[in-house]
Amino acid sequence: MLEPASDPALNLAYGGTGPTGTSPVGPVVFTLMAAEALFGVLPRVGRELDKWRRRAVAIPDPALRRQALASIATKAFHCQGGGVLALAAGTLDLIEPIVAYQTISDYLDNLCDRTGSLAGASFRTLHLAMLDAVGPAGRVRDYYGTGVDDGGYLTGLVRTCQTGLARLPGIERVRPELRRFAGLYSDLQVYKHLRPSVRAGLLSAWHSRVSGDWPGIAWWEFAAACGSTLASFALFALAARPGLTTEEVDAVKDAYFPWVCGWHILLDYLIDEAEDEQHGDFNFVTRYPSPAARREGLAHFQHKAMVAAASLPGRPVHAFAVAGLAALYLSDKKALHPRLREEARSLLRRSGPYSKSLFLCCRLLRAAGLL
């Protein structure tokens, strides 16, 4: 359980009491959201992924087919976690564009990491798919370059996301921010997949150029935040409501980026540390200068993410989602690695009074092969 929170919003949202003696994420609300996630979100995400799995099997190019199938098989939990934010929209129909957008992200990440079949196609050109997916319907292009055939898989994902977003009444209010986050994500993917000898320096220089709106965080923390799609999904959910104001958009944007997004991806890199070391992949968590700095950095992002989520209108869903991030990632068997075990336990204890229940739920879902 969290230590008593000095921030009233944090204490209220994560199980404390407010002036009326109630918490917006009390046991009843928590149980209802957990039930909606389990019996509503997960099955709907599963059906969407099954659809894309069938499309991936038909990809003519064997290397692209292999990476498309691998991204769905090993990263489905990204879609499952993102799908929880559909609850903030009040409609599970939002899961269709969420899954399409996240599948683009996971597929392209696999292509950049694991395949040599894209000689002649730049990482930046590939990631134009992310920008097009959150743009107006109908804009698609050749993302690979000459001679590469995926049978329409990537353009199908882009079109599905475009179509789903076009149905949202507030989409034009949030589209500029969606494009901004897609651009930051694309820049990150370009820089982090360059040669090991140059990528840290280029990422640091990039941070210096573009991070003026987010002072006080290290370049690897900024880069981690850019690697999350959760801010985009929160904006998808917000756009499902008519009559949006600029203040509402700014509140969601500022809560999620960099804090919720940074916490999300720092957790991801934390559990992947040993695996990334084995593959020679870049890992942001290892950039902290000392174990003490790492513990302090992770705890800072965790606290800021929880406070930020608690401050939002409709905060039960956002607070539930942020608390669930720790349970989702730290229930992975990779978090049992000897050098992570104690750190993982500490982070889980700090994730709120429902973290243990969420953790046990995630462990059961993993054991059943549903997560």
Side-chain angles (χ1 to χ4, degrees):
M1 182 177 291
L2 279 174
E3 297 298 323
S6 58
D7 188 299
L10 180 60
N11 193 41
L12 178 62
Y14 291 88
T17 57
T20 63
T22 61
S23 165
V25 192
V28 174
V29 174
F30 167 82
T31 302
L32 288 173
M33 284 192 294
E36 286 182 292
L38 183 60
F39 299 110
V41 172
L42 293 188
R44 183 68 176 267
V45 169
R47 290 194 294 272
E48 289 296 317
L49 287 174
D50 283 343
K51 177 177 72 178
W52 293 111
R53 189 179 293 108
R54 291 192 295 271
R55 292 283 298 270
V57 167
I59 294 174
D61 185 291
L64 300 184
R65 182 171 63 249
R66 183 165 55 251
Q67 296 308 326
L69 290 170
S71 75
I72 293 172
T74 63
K75 299 179 180 180
F77 70 97
H78 291 168
C79 293
Q80 293 165 332
V84 169
L85 288 175
L87 297 177
T91 172
L92 294 185
D93 289 345
L94 196 65
I95 286 175
E96 182 182 49
I98 286 175
V99 169
Y101 195 65
Q102 185 60 52
T103 301
I104 295 171
S105 169
D106 293 335
Y107 171 56
L108 296 186
D109 192 49
N110 270 32
L111 291 186
C112 294
D113 277 343
R114 302 281 175 254
T115 183
S117 70
L118 298 177
S122 75
F123 295 153
R124 191 169 296 282
T125 301
L126 275 174
H127 282 88
L128 290 173
M130 300 289 285
L131 282 162
D132 289 348
V134 296
R139 175 65 184 271
V140 295
R141 48 189 132 183
D142 180 4
Y143 302 109
Y144 299 101
T146 305
V148 179
D149 181 13
D150 74 351
Y153 180 71
L154 184 52
T155 56
L157 286 163
V158 170
R159 291 184 190 278
T160 296
C161 189
Q162 290 174 343
T163 302
L165 296 184
R167 293 193 291 261
L168 304 178
I171 186 59
E172 294 306 326
R173 284 275 190 176
V174 304
R175 201 186 300 280
E177 296 303 332
L178 291 174
R179 291 186 61 81
R180 187 185 193 190
F181 288 135
L184 289 172
Y185 180 90
S186 301
D187 287 346
L188 167 67
Q189 292 297 320
V190 170
Y191 291 128
K192 83 166 190 168
H193 286 104
L194 295 176
R195 298 189 311 277
S197 61
V198 302
R199 59 191 173 193
L202 289 173
L203 281 165
S204 179
W206 170 59
H207 165 256
S208 298
R209 290 196 307 273
V210 303
S211 65
D213 291 342
W214 307 284
I217 59 175
W219 67 260
W220 59 89
E221 294 171 333
F222 174 76
C226 291
S228 173
T229 50
L230 290 182
S232 297
F233 297 153
L235 291 171
F236 287 11
L238 192 63
R241 292 174 23 214
L244 283 184
T245 66
T246 300
E247 290 74 21
E248 288 174 311
V249 175
D250 287 345
V252 168
K253 174 193 69 176
D254 293 340
Y256 271 80
F257 195 93
W259 304 117
V260 176
C261 290
W263 169 233
H264 169 208
I265 300 300
L266 288 171
L267 274 172
D268 195 10
Y269 277 95
L270 177 70
I271 67 167
D272 282 347
E273 183 180 357
E275 185 177 274
D276 287 345
E277 184 178 339
Q278 177 185 352
H279 288 292
D281 293 337
F282 204 55
N283 188 295
F284 295 128
V285 169
T286 64
R287 309 308 298 189
Y288 284 105
S290 69
R294 166 172 152 163
R295 288 192 296 271
E296 182 179 345
L298 290 173
H300 178 64
F301 263 82
Q302 181 182 30
H303 181 81
K304 294 287 282 188
M306 294 174 72
V307 171
S311 72
L312 291 174
R315 62 188 168 196
V317 173
H318 299 290
F320 176 81
V322 170
L325 284 172
L328 178 66
Y329 281 95
L330 300 178
S331 63
D332 192 294
K333 63 182 180 182
K334 290 182 286 189
L336 298 176
H337 192 285
R339 67 186 181 192
L340 290 184
R341 189 177 293 119
E342 288 305 315
E343 189 171 11
R345 287 175 178 170
S346 175
L347 291 170
L348 191 65
R349 284 195 300 269
R350 295 171 59 89
S351 293
Y354 307 119
S355 58
K356 186 174 181 180
S357 297
L358 283 169
F359 175 82
L360 292 174
C361 183
C362 288
R363 288 292 297 269
L364 289 171
L365 290 171
R366 289 184 186 280
L370 298 175
L371 191 61

